[in-house]
Amino acid sequence: MKKHFLLMGTLLLSSAMAFGAAFQLNLQGVRQLAMGGTGTAVPWDAATIFYNPGGLSALKHVQAYGSVQFLSANTRYVETPTGSYSANSREKLYTPFNFYIGGPVRYKSKLSLGLGVYTPFGTGIRWDDNWRGRYVVQDIQLQSVFFQPTASYRINDVVSIGAGFVIATGHVSIQRAVPIQNMNGQDGKAELAGNANGLGYNIGIHLRATDRIQFGISYRSSVKMKVKRGYATFTVPSALSSSFPYTAFRSDINLPQVFNVGVGVKATDRLTITADANFVGWSSYDSLIFDYEKNTASLQDTRSARRYKNTLVARLGASYTIGRKFTAMLGAAYDPSPVRDGYVSPDLPDNNHIMATGGLVFKPNKRLSIMGVFEYVFTPKRDASFDEANFSGRYQTRIVNPGLGISYDF
Amino acid sequence: MKKVYILGLMGGLMMASCKPNIEPAAPSGGEGVDFTKYVAVGNSLTAGYADGTLYRSGQQNSYPFILAEQLKTVGGAKEFRQPLLPGEYGYPEPKFMLMMNQGLCDTVASLGPARYKGALDSVGSSQNIYTQSGPFHNMGIPGIRCIDFLVPGYGALNPYARRMFVAPAGSRAIDEAVIIKPSFFTLWIGSNDVLGYATAGGDQAPATPGGTNQISNIDVFNAAYDTVLSNLRRNGAQGVLLNIPDITNTPFFTTIGAKSLMLSKNDANLLNNAYNSLGGFIRFAEGANYFIIEDSTSPYKFRHIKDGEYILLSVPSDSLKCAGWGTKKPIPGRYVLTLSEVAKIRNATASFNNIIYQMAKRENIPMVDINAYMSTVQAGVVFNGALFNTSFVSGGAFSLDGIHLTPRGYALVANQIIMAINTRYKSTIPMADVNKYRGVAFP
């Protein structure tokens, strides 16, 4: 276990990103991801702290759980309607992680307590510095880590409830070229970076209707991530340096509320089928505002309309027990894009996500589980424009995302 | 754990095979048009004139050159020769550059355009280069009017024509323009048939040989345009016409606002006392005021400027700042366009543009309404995240003379031509990457 915690320690330092539709990721459990991202109805393991806090009291033992994904996304842009220009986003590996610990306060206690540390939102894309969209974005990284202390209570053999308080931290950095050229024809540059904080909650009900059928309902509140004091650095020709001062800025990003309903059916002794629906309240992301502390005639506050729309995500998963030591999982999901036509920026060239997932759990003994998952995300090509910048083209993204996890029952 | 390694290996393999695979569509040259031999006929705007002069890198980023680069993607304009100057200094005058300047009565230096002070590299600019590198595909001749195209021996009157014509002493500009026998042409002429009048201050313009400070006669314009176009069309060449932008929308006329005289309460009072005898005919207040301009029709031969009248960018700024121009003394009429002068300019522009429109219709060839486009630029256009408007210096589209464009501005023009070509000839020539070119350069 010492090694395990060491691993988690180093991962906390690295960045945690997310690639669901828009910048939500649904990678909070290895088993759950392998089953198409379902997890509201069946409390497989301590990851239920995220998927449905009401399921935590179903755990018989205190469990420590850790997992990490190795996500790489490739986006390609081509000029439309014609041309010879295309650009690829730079290769970059993201490592979203999860850590959970929780279980009954005493053996057979109705009350369970836990803590989740996970990375539910994030995004990142890096284009070449001199690519054609450089005045829109060269590099953007959004990271978040949520801390969620959680309590769950088993009311009776059927109904359990749970609630967690969310303390969210994050970091945002954006880099883009500024269309002001020096005597050598080089562009200016704007770099913005800041830490963000927010609060929220996560509540859920778990229903064990019969031995074979379980239901889950959970609700994760929206979280207003506030950048109270970020810093903006501008590199411009010296004659204009007083017009673009080094300045603090404020910004908010409203992360969406998510309402989840799930069902899990034990079809046979070996086979369990799960289905989830997630309602994601993306309309909270209406605009992206940067409020600079020092304004000049050249440096005004900016407001970029995003106008995201709410989405409904459908997920399906299956788990099949092969023997005493192995379980195999499969899943699929359809995660529609919240980004409207005309608002597709190269900082997040989003489209509908179609996901196929698979995984394996190896249980060498009663207490230890080692989990592996592979996710492949396909987005159809999208002819899109970012009207505000008059930047349009065709985008296609492919994401591959293997992951590993380990859990141990005390 | 072995299985985990296998899974990782599989992941690695899939990563390699799961790259996006979309590719740009190949451009097509369309139907009923041959871009092989492209010739651009025009004036300074076609020559790549910028920053108050003609210099080599301006020519190398002229809109005809940018257009030729795009035509190459569909096999056109394989050759595109321009009458390049030897250097960057500017010919005949040095170019404007942005620098920190301190005027006679400025307490601090401020950023503004001033004439280039670098090494003179324009030696040899006046020499005829036809035998060396002609005939030329870019037949943009700074200063030429539509009505000049039929003047025999025009090369003797215009130094730019003189250096690029095969027979400067005897030929007409239109004869020179068709030496290459273009299969495709762009024709953007007519601006100088009204610009000379406007930049010289309208009715107060001093007389010049050939009347270049007068608005051209519309019948002469009509006949000249017709002849030029007929000559270009002679071998069945296709082409695009561009009309005349309203010159009063350019920064040369809009930068110094009519009501941009800022006065303190004290200064306003002092001026009001000085003009007291006129019984309120001249009146100043704290804040923004209308300048005083010369006007021979006014009872006192001067008056406040009105909204819709323009002060030219060529007005000496030291005279405004320390010689009392616009306050104690009226700004001379040659630096001002009054309402009646503005009306003459706009009427002439509209009449000339009507002729161009009718010709395009008659010949069934596309016309770019660059006049309408420039008024959208006035409101602001965005290209791949870069905003362009007609603000002086900061707008990015206009060069430091306030009339001619920057390479980025010329690229915007080239894209308007490409759109017209693509619409008319069903081609899919890609747009120029405007931001690849230079805008206004800051120190």
Side-chain angles (χ1 to χ4, degrees):
Chain A
M1 284 310 294
K2 221 172 192 181
K3 243 182 191 169
H4 170 73
F5 280 108
L6 200 69
L7 180 73
M8 296 317 302
T10 44
L11 286 170
L12 274 169
L13 297 176
S14 82
S15 59
M17 306 295 151
F19 287 83
F23 49 87
Q24 181 183 219
L25 53 37
N26 289 282
L27 310 171
Q28 273 66 48
V30 174
R31 210 184 241 277
Q32 289 82 353
L33 175 61
M35 296 175 70
T38 62
T40 313
V42 182
W44 300 101
D45 47 36
T48 196
I49 288 173
F50 169 80
Y51 285 96
N52 183 352
L56 183 61
S57 56
L59 298 190
K60 291 199 169 69
H61 306 279
V62 171
Q63 185 180 78
Y65 179 109
S67 71
V68 60
Q69 300 291 136
F70 301 94
L71 188 154
S72 89
N74 283 295
T75 298
R76 184 168 169 80
Y77 164 87
V78 302
E79 183 185 10
T80 54
T82 54
S84 49
Y85 185 75
S86 62
N88 290 309
S89 67
R90 289 227 199 126
E91 200 85 39
K92 193 166 177 176
L93 184 72
Y94 296 99
T95 53
F97 64 87
N98 309 294
F99 170 69
Y100 303 102
I101 187 159
V105 290
R106 285 183 311 277
Y107 184 62
K108 289 202 165 176
S109 164
K110 288 186 167 190
L111 178 67
S112 294
L113 295 177
L115 172 70
V117 181
Y118 53 88
T119 54
F121 292 95
T123 180
I125 195 163
R126 170 147 190 78
W127 300 94
D128 280 331
D129 276 355
N130 58 353
W131 88 297
R132 287 196 185 177
R134 63 189 180 276
Y135 297 140
V136 184
V137 65
Q138 290 169 320
D139 183 57
I140 183 165
Q141 307 296 337
L142 279 167
Q143 306 151 21
S144 71
V145 180
F146 281 27
F147 297 85
Q148 184 193 317
T150 302
S152 172
Y153 187 75
R154 195 169 71 244
I155 295 169
N156 55 40
D157 286 348
V158 176
V159 183
S160 300
I161 56 170
F165 180 64
V166 169
I167 300 146
T169 66
H171 186 261
V172 58
S173 72
I174 299 168
Q175 180 191 311
R176 62 167 156 258
V178 175
I180 297 174
Q181 292 168 298
N182 67 14
M183 288 298 181
N184 299 322
Q186 290 161 324
D187 286 319
K189 183 181 263 195
E191 292 162 286
L192 285 77
N195 292 320
N197 293 292
L199 298 174
Y201 58 89
N202 183 358
I203 54 175
I205 301 173
H206 177 246
L207 303 168
R208 188 178 295 276
T210 71
D211 278 353
R212 293 197 173 272
I213 302 180
Q214 300 177 63
F215 294 100
I217 300 170
S218 72
Y219 174 78
R220 298 192 286 276
S221 73
S222 72
V223 176
K224 187 170 194 169
M225 294 296 278
K226 290 189 171 191
V227 180
K228 283 187 182 138
R229 201 165 179 80
Y231 281 93
T233 314
F234 300 94
T235 310
V236 291
S238 58
L240 297 175
S241 54
S242 60
S243 299
F244 291 91
Y246 176 70
T247 174
F249 73 87
R250 296 171 61 103
S251 187
D252 294 338
I253 297 169
N254 289 323
L255 300 175
Q257 57 182 333
V258 187
F259 180 70
N260 312 287
V261 182
V263 59
V265 178
K266 201 168 180 182
T268 73
D269 284 349
R270 287 170 179 271
L271 178 68
T272 300
I273 310 281
T274 54
D276 272 29
N278 315 136
F279 168 84
V280 190
W282 273 117
S283 62
S284 64
Y285 191 41
D286 182 62
S287 56
L288 182 59
I289 296 169
F290 289 100
D291 177 1
Y292 296 106
E293 192 175 79
K294 294 179 199 163
N295 286 119
T296 68
S298 307
L299 182 62
Q300 296 291 318
D301 297 342
T302 63
R303 182 183 179 282
S304 171
R306 298 294 158 133
R307 294 190 60 233
Y308 277 27
K309 60 189 180 196
N310 297 332
T311 61
L312 188 61
V313 188
R315 303 178 184 281
L316 197 62
S319 166
Y320 188 79
T321 310
I322 297 167
R324 194 179 292 170
K325 289 190 171 174
F326 290 103
T327 305
M329 293 90 65
L330 277 176
Y334 179 67
D335 192 355
S337 172
V339 186
R340 294 171 204 263
D341 290 342
Y343 293 86
V344 184
S345 163
D347 66 15
L348 208 164
D350 197 50
N351 197 1
N352 302 331
H353 286 53
I354 298 156
M355 290 177 282
T357 60
L360 208 56
V361 177
F362 172 53
K363 217 168 157 42
N365 62 51
K366 267 182 111 174
R367 292 176 180 273
L368 184 66
S369 291
I370 297 165
M371 300 163 279
V373 60
F374 191 88
E375 179 192 27
Y376 178 71
V377 181
F378 173 79
T379 65
K381 59 191 177 215
R382 184 170 190 180
D383 283 310
S385 66
F386 186 43
D387 291 349
E388 164 183 306
N390 193 19
F391 188 82
S392 57
R394 180 173 296 165
Y395 298 92
Q396 192 178 36
T397 300
R398 296 283 162 86
I399 298 168
V400 287
N401 178 21
L404 282 177
I406 188 165
S407 73
Y408 188 84
D409 289 345
F410 292 97
Chain B
M1 285 304 282
K2 235 177 200 168
K3 288 206 165 55
V4 168
Y5 287 126
I6 292 165
L7 201 70
L9 189 67
M10 277 170 57
L13 287 173
M14 278 193 77
M15 261 179 240
S17 62
C18 291
K19 293 263 166 73
N21 53 12
I22 48 173
E23 290 298 335
S28 120
E31 301 159 10
V33 62
D34 172 10
F35 299 116
T36 327
K37 288 195 281 180
Y38 163 48
V39 171
V41 180
N43 48 42
S44 51
L45 294 162
T46 299
Y49 194 98
D51 301 317
T53 191
L54 191 67
Y55 57 97
R56 191 179 179 95
S57 67
Q59 296 177 292
Q60 286 168 328
N61 293 303
S62 63
Y63 80 81
F65 184 81
I66 295 169
L67 178 58
E69 289 292 297
Q70 300 308 110
L71 292 178
K72 278 181 184 148
T73 66
V74 295
K78 286 209 173 69
E79 268 190 303
F80 195 78
R81 289 189 299 273
Q82 302 199 90
L84 294 177
L85 286 162
E88 290 293 292
Y89 186 82
Y91 173 72
E93 290 180 285
K95 64 183 171 185
F96 284 116
M97 293 179 80
L98 276 184
M99 50 187 93
M100 300 300 283
N101 306 298
Q102 193 160 358
L104 285 175
C105 44
D106 290 333
T107 49
V108 289
S110 62
L111 186 69
R115 293 284 181 181
Y116 180 50
K117 295 175 185 73
L120 184 79
D121 57 7
S122 56
V123 175
S125 293
S126 60
Q127 279 163 19
N128 184 284
I129 53 168
Y130 183 88
T131 44
Q132 184 190 320
S133 48
F136 299 105
H137 298 83
N138 185 339
M139 291 301 292
I141 305 162
I144 197 168
R145 294 171 295 177
C146 172
I147 60 172
D148 292 331
F149 272 84
L150 306 183
V151 176
Y154 182 71
L157 304 172
N158 182 319
Y160 298 107
R162 190 158 57 232
R163 56 185 293 277
M164 61 193 278
F165 280 13
V166 63
S171 70
R172 303 180 305 168
I174 181 57
D175 304 328
E176 299 278 346
V178 295
I179 291 173
I180 286 178
K181 297 195 175 64
S183 66
F184 182 79
F185 64 88
T186 54
L187 179 62
W188 193 7
I189 56 175
S191 289
N192 288 322
D193 294 78
V194 56
L195 180 68
Y197 173 82
T199 53
D203 294 339
Q204 284 73 35
T208 56
T212 53
N213 281 351
Q214 301 304 315
I215 293 173
S216 298
N217 176 285
I218 187 159
D219 296 326
V220 180
F221 182 99
N222 191 20
Y225 200 99
D226 194 1
T227 308
V228 169
L229 184 55
S230 305
N231 273 278
L232 288 170
R233 292 275 285 154
R234 204 160 45 192
N235 299 312
Q238 294 291 317
V240 176
L241 309 184
L242 290 90
N243 66 5
I244 305 167
D246 181 351
I247 194 68
T248 59
N249 287 339
T250 65
F252 190 81
F253 299 95
T254 57
T255 300
I256 306 171
K259 193 183 181 180
S260 66
L261 170 64
M262 298 304 294
L263 292 177
S264 66
K265 194 171 185 181
N266 193 34
D267 285 345
N269 287 340
L270 286 172
L271 285 167
N272 284 335
N273 289 340
Y275 285 107
N276 202 17
S277 60
L278 304 185
F281 179 71
I282 300 292
R283 195 91 209 131
F284 293 99
E286 186 182 3
N289 288 271
Y290 291 95
F291 285 102
I292 305 287
I293 60 163
E294 195 178 76
D295 180 0
S296 57
T297 64
S298 158
Y300 304 103
K301 307 292 180 206
F302 60 84
R303 59 173 172 83
H304 279 295
I305 193 170
K306 297 172 194 160
D307 285 322
E309 298 184 320
Y310 298 103
I311 298 165
L312 277 48
L313 194 57
S314 53
V315 65
S317 63
D318 284 339
S319 303
L320 277 188
K321 285 178 196 159
C322 33
W325 282 22
T327 51
K328 292 177 208 155
K329 294 179 203 163
I331 298 172
R334 64 181 183 280
Y335 297 114
V336 174
L337 292 182
T338 62
L339 284 176
S340 69
E341 291 164 338
V342 170
K344 280 183 198 172
I345 291 163
R346 295 214 172 121
N347 288 339
T349 305
S351 307
F352 296 154
N353 280 345
N354 185 46
I355 289 168
I356 296 169
Y357 172 76
Q358 296 298 339
M359 298 268 178
K361 214 162 106 175
R362 187 188 76 192
E363 300 287 320
N364 190 25
I365 54 174
M367 186 199 82
V368 175
D369 191 351
I370 205 73
N371 182 31
Y373 180 68
M374 291 317 285
S375 48
T376 67
V377 175
Q378 196 171 27
V381 296
V382 179
F383 185 90
N384 288 358
L387 173 71
F388 297 93
N389 60 37
T390 55
S391 296
F392 191 49
V393 179
S394 65
F398 279 89
S399 74
L400 298 175
D401 59 34
I403 294 176
H404 299 91
L405 304 177
T406 59
R408 285 188 176 184
Y410 284 128
L412 290 171
V413 171
N415 280 345
Q416 292 302 304
I417 299 171
I418 291 168
M419 281 164 66
I421 293 172
N422 285 345
T423 306
R424 171 66 173 75
Y425 300 109
K426 300 189 174 70
S427 51
T428 54
I429 299 159
M431 297 289 145
D433 177 17
V434 172
N435 298 334
K436 183 173 91 181
Y437 300 93
R438 185 173 61 72
V440 174
F442 289 84

